[in-house]
Amino acid sequence: MSEKLTLSVIKADVGGFVGHSAIHPDLIDTARMALEEARQKGWLIDFHVTACGDDLQLIMTHSRGVDDVEIHHLAWQVFERCTAIARKLKLYGAGQDLLTDAFSGNVRGMGPGVAEMELHERESEPVIIFMADKTSAGAWNLPLFRMFADPFNTAGLVISPSMHEGFRFEVHDVKQHKRIFFDTPAEMYDLLVFIGASGRYVIKAVYTRDGEIGAVSSTQRLALIAGKYVGKDDPVCIVRSQGKFPAVGEVLEPFTMPHIVEGWMRGSHYGPLMPVPVRQATPSRFDGPPRVAALGFQLANGGLIGPRDLFDDPGFDEVRRQVNVLADQLRRHGAFEPHRLPMDEMEYTTLPQVMEKLAERWEALPDETVTV
Ligand code: F6R
Ligand code: MG
Ligand code: MG
């Protein structure tokens, strides 16, 4: 057992209501009951159950460290219990993200998304949990860069002595299973070389220069795990705030831009990410546009004081409007890029099956035809 506190966010889509648009309240109730039992047994200090679109979100505090077998097993069992309810109600895609039949020690690589951090709780510890639906892990790259490295977003990088040193970014290559660290501001341009390609290079974590964790994201790519399209990853991210970390308003500010992410309908389109309160995290238009919700908590000896639904603020009305304008513009492209993902990204969707069916109908061009 670790002396530090662990904050774990483990999420999965175990059945949608209706279609892939939201979650049935019975799933939330079932998960709450199961986690309350775990809390009473002393496994958890506190928890909060919520949903973003069709993804069930288990936000938990405990003192068992990250990647703990018991905590991951607990989450897996909760998802199984909820899957049973989803099957009974014939909800859509029941058990969708549980890619294997049996739990084997760690939910990583088994379908659910995980973001966990171990921390020494400060005198006052504000944390923000971001949850997205109808998009993938790379969706956090731009906002995390803005929060922790862009002085036009985060005033504290310039004017606060506790942040002036900059931060360290941990970047994962999700296709080659490699990682690299960059220090900003010195290596900002090197960092951008990679994280601009957010389908492949994903910011896994951000640290202060003396190694304290500031943010952690889920980096699971479901299609890479399953080898076929099984839904988008719908990532989560935990960010610590205030003091030596960006202020709450600096953490939220990147979402005032209608940033374009991959996902949306059938995980195959680019679309703008809409920041919404949890009650509006129910993507329906063309199964979108992709959503992001942000819940703020104050930690109090592991207790989750909150949440505050941070995008439930008229300050985000304008970006929501801009998202709708951009969504209209992109939708008018129909099956054409740049609305639809480029071919190599479509590899991870259902398109390859259609292409295979047509493969034999392709004929070689006559010799005299000039090709490039
Ligand atoms: C995207 C998503 C939805 C589904 C679409 C088709 O991540 O979940 O857009 O891809 O509704 O769903 P199926 O193939 O399950 O009928
Ligand atoms: Mg779903
Ligand atoms: Mg989802």
Side-chain angles (χ1 to χ4, degrees), residues 226-354:
K228 60 179 191 316
Y229 185 66
V230 284
K232 271 287 169 202
D233 323 304
D234 303 337
V236 288
C237 181
I238 306 172
V239 181
R240 293 172 83 184
S241 177
Q242 305 291 152
K244 62 172 82 162
F245 303 111
V248 168
E250 291 167 336
V251 173
L252 301 178
E253 183 67 9
F255 297 94
T256 58
M257 169 199 166
H259 143 226
I260 302 213
V261 295
E262 59 173 66
W264 208 346
M265 175 59 77
R266 297 177 188 275
S268 307
H269 296 83
Y270 283 114
L273 186 63
M274 184 186 269
V276 286
V278 168
R279 68 176 183 282
Q280 291 178 344
T282 50
S284 54
R285 181 196 176 176
F286 198 57
D287 288 0
R291 302 297 153 102
V292 56
L295 289 186
F297 295 92
Q298 289 287 151
L299 299 182
N301 305 312
L304 287 158
I305 310 304
R308 281 221 59 240
D309 198 343
L310 294 165
F311 289 140
D312 195 0
D313 178 337
F316 294 94
D317 284 351
E318 179 56 19
V319 61
R320 290 189 272 263
R321 191 192 67 80
Q322 288 176 14
V323 163
N324 281 327
V325 172
L326 266 168
D328 278 342
Q329 178 60 6
L330 282 164
R331 279 302 302 125
R332 284 150 81 191
H333 289 75
F336 288 78
E337 297 178 21
H339 183 29
R340 204 178 73 182
L341 296 189
M343 274 300 182
D344 55 337
E345 279 297 314
M346 294 291 282
E347 230 177 273
Y348 302 104
T349 70
T350 44
L351 183 74
Q353 286 145 263
V354 178

Side-chain angles (χ1 to χ4, degrees), residues 11-13 20-21 52-57 96-97 132-135 231-234 283:
K11 46 88 32 189
D13 175 352
H20 293 282
S21 66
C52 183
D54 54 4
D55 294 280
L56 181 62
Q57 308 279 347
Q96 176 181 296
D97 287 356
D133 190 41
K134 304 293 180 274
T135 186
K232 271 287 169 202
D233 323 304
D234 303 337

